Amino acid sequence: MSLTPSASASLQPAKMKKDESFLGKLGGTLVRKKRAKEVSDLHEEGKNAINAPLLPSATEIHPEDTLLEENAERIMLDPTSRENPIFIDLVKVLIDWINSELEEERIIVKDLEEDCYDGQVLQKLF
Protein backbone atom coordinates (compact mmCIF):
# COMPACT_ATOMS: atom_id res chain seq x y z
CA MET A 1 0.00 0.00 0.00
CA SER A 2 1.11 3.55 -0.52
CA LEU A 3 2.11 5.87 2.26
CA THR A 4 0.01 8.86 3.04
CA PRO A 5 1.61 12.24 2.32
CA SER A 6 1.98 12.95 6.03
CA ALA A 7 3.83 9.67 6.63
CA SER A 8 6.27 10.21 3.73
CA ALA A 9 6.87 13.80 4.85
CA SER A 10 7.81 12.62 8.33
CA LEU A 11 10.41 10.17 6.90
CA GLN A 12 12.24 12.80 4.87
CA PRO A 13 13.09 15.21 7.71
CA ALA A 14 14.64 12.38 9.72
CA LYS A 15 16.86 11.51 6.78
CA MET A 16 17.80 15.18 6.26
CA LYS A 17 18.73 15.54 9.92
CA LYS A 18 21.19 12.67 9.63
CA ASP A 19 22.90 14.22 6.57
CA GLU A 20 22.96 17.68 8.14
CA SER A 21 24.88 16.54 11.21
CA PHE A 22 28.53 17.58 11.52
CA LEU A 23 29.86 14.05 10.98
CA GLY A 24 27.53 13.59 8.01
CA LYS A 25 28.87 16.73 6.35
CA LEU A 26 32.47 15.86 7.22
CA GLY A 27 32.09 12.33 5.85
CA GLY A 28 30.57 13.64 2.62
CA THR A 29 33.37 16.17 2.21
CA LEU A 30 36.06 13.55 2.78
CA VAL A 31 34.45 11.22 0.25
CA ARG A 32 34.27 14.01 -2.35
CA LYS A 33 37.93 14.94 -1.73
CA LYS A 34 38.96 11.30 -2.04
CA ARG A 35 37.04 10.92 -5.30
CA ALA A 36 38.53 14.13 -6.68
CA LYS A 37 42.04 12.90 -5.79
CA GLU A 38 41.36 9.53 -7.45
CA VAL A 39 40.16 11.31 -10.60
CA SER A 40 43.21 13.59 -10.70
CA ASP A 41 45.55 10.60 -10.09
CA LEU A 42 43.87 8.66 -12.88
CA HIS A 43 44.09 11.66 -15.20
CA GLU A 44 47.81 12.09 -14.42
CA GLU A 45 48.46 8.39 -14.96
CA GLY A 46 46.74 8.58 -18.34
CA LYS A 47 48.83 11.59 -19.40
CA ASN A 48 52.01 9.79 -18.36
CA ALA A 49 51.00 6.66 -20.26
CA ILE A 50 50.45 8.70 -23.42
CA ASN A 51 53.60 10.80 -23.16
CA ALA A 52 56.03 8.17 -21.83
CA PRO A 53 56.77 6.50 -25.19
CA LEU A 54 57.51 9.90 -26.73
CA LEU A 55 60.11 10.98 -24.19
CA PRO A 56 63.73 10.17 -24.99
CA SER A 57 65.08 7.63 -22.54
CA ALA A 58 68.31 8.14 -20.70
CA THR A 59 71.25 6.19 -22.06
CA GLU A 60 72.25 3.50 -19.60
CA ILE A 61 75.28 1.33 -20.13
CA HIS A 62 75.29 -2.04 -18.42
CA PRO A 63 78.54 -3.99 -17.93
CA GLU A 64 77.19 -7.00 -19.84
CA ASP A 65 76.57 -4.75 -22.85
CA THR A 66 80.19 -3.63 -22.94
CA LEU A 67 81.69 -7.08 -23.46
CA LEU A 68 83.13 -7.39 -26.94
CA GLU A 69 84.16 -10.33 -29.03
CA GLU A 70 87.80 -10.86 -29.88
CA ASN A 71 89.22 -8.11 -32.17
CA ALA A 72 85.98 -6.11 -31.92
CA GLU A 73 86.08 -2.39 -31.27
CA ARG A 74 83.53 -0.01 -29.88
CA ILE A 75 83.71 3.76 -30.05
CA MET A 76 81.64 5.88 -27.71
CA LEU A 77 81.16 9.61 -27.96
CA ASP A 78 82.00 11.74 -24.99
CA PRO A 79 78.88 13.58 -23.73
CA THR A 80 80.87 16.83 -23.66
CA SER A 81 81.33 16.58 -27.45
CA ARG A 82 77.87 18.13 -27.82
CA GLU A 83 79.46 21.44 -26.89
CA ASN A 84 81.96 21.20 -29.75
CA PRO A 85 81.32 24.00 -32.30
CA ILE A 86 81.73 21.58 -35.21
CA PHE A 87 79.03 19.31 -33.76
CA ILE A 88 76.70 22.27 -33.20
CA ASP A 89 77.20 23.40 -36.82
CA LEU A 90 76.53 19.86 -38.05
CA VAL A 91 73.26 19.70 -36.12
CA LYS A 92 72.18 23.05 -37.61
CA VAL A 93 73.01 21.85 -41.12
CA LEU A 94 71.04 18.62 -40.57
CA ILE A 95 68.02 20.51 -39.23
CA ASP A 96 68.09 22.90 -42.20
CA TRP A 97 68.37 19.99 -44.64
CA ILE A 98 65.53 18.02 -43.00
CA ASN A 99 63.29 21.10 -42.95
CA SER A 100 63.96 21.81 -46.63
CA GLU A 101 63.25 18.17 -47.59
CA LEU A 102 60.04 17.97 -45.56
CA GLU A 103 58.75 21.44 -46.43
CA GLU A 104 56.03 19.96 -48.68
CA GLU A 105 54.91 17.68 -45.84
CA ARG A 106 54.60 20.73 -43.54
CA ILE A 107 56.97 19.20 -41.00
CA ILE A 108 59.33 21.47 -39.10
CA VAL A 109 62.19 20.09 -37.01
CA LYS A 110 63.37 22.32 -34.17
CA ASP A 111 65.30 19.89 -31.98
CA LEU A 112 66.98 17.00 -33.80
CA GLU A 113 67.04 14.59 -30.86
CA GLU A 114 63.45 15.12 -29.73
CA ASP A 115 61.88 15.34 -33.19
CA CYS A 116 63.65 12.26 -34.58
CA TYR A 117 63.17 10.14 -31.45
CA ASP A 118 59.90 8.42 -32.46
CA GLY A 119 61.02 7.79 -36.06
CA GLN A 120 58.17 9.60 -37.81
CA VAL A 121 60.46 12.28 -39.27
CA LEU A 122 62.93 9.62 -40.42
CA GLN A 123 60.08 7.67 -42.03
CA LYS A 124 59.03 10.77 -43.99
CA LEU A 125 62.65 11.31 -45.10
CA PHE A 126 62.84 7.77 -46.49
Side-chain angles (χ1 to χ4, degrees):
M1 297 194 170
S2 66
L3 295 173
T4 62
S6 63
S8 64
S10 65
L11 290 177
Q12 289 178 349
K15 189 175 183 181
M16 291 174 103
K17 278 186 179 181
K18 180 183 176 188
D19 290 341
E20 290 177 0
S21 69
F22 176 73
L23 291 177
K25 287 182 180 180
L26 181 64
T29 303
L30 292 176
V31 168
R32 282 192 299 274
K33 285 183 179 179
K34 183 177 178 183
R35 286 185 186 153
K37 184 178 182 326
E38 288 174 356
V39 168
S40 66
D41 289 347
L42 186 61
H43 181 67
E44 188 68 29
E45 183 180 337
K47 279 179 25 181
N48 290 340
I50 290 171
N51 293 332
L54 301 176
L55 298 175
S57 61
T59 306
E60 296 179 14
I61 301 173
H62 300 287
E64 61 271 7
D65 294 337
T66 58
L67 298 176
L68 300 175
E69 294 181 15
E70 193 172 327
N71 296 328
E73 293 182 13
R74 177 176 292 155
I75 298 174
M76 297 183 72
L77 296 175
D78 185 19
T80 58
S81 66
R82 290 178 177 254
E83 298 152 5
N84 187 338
I86 297 172
F87 177 78
I88 294 170
D89 290 340
L90 177 63
V91 169
K92 288 179 185 176
V93 168
L94 283 172
I95 290 173
D96 291 340
W97 175 74
I98 292 171
N99 286 334
S100 67
E101 289 293 318
L102 299 178
E103 188 174 37
E104 294 175 2
E105 301 281 336
R106 295 179 184 246
I107 296 174
I108 298 173
V109 173
K110 292 181 180 177
D111 183 6
L112 194 61
E113 186 176 352
E114 287 180 13
D115 294 338
C116 292
Y117 177 75
D118 61 358
Q120 291 181 3
V121 171
L122 297 174
Q123 180 184 11
K124 291 293 185 178
L125 283 172
F126 287 127

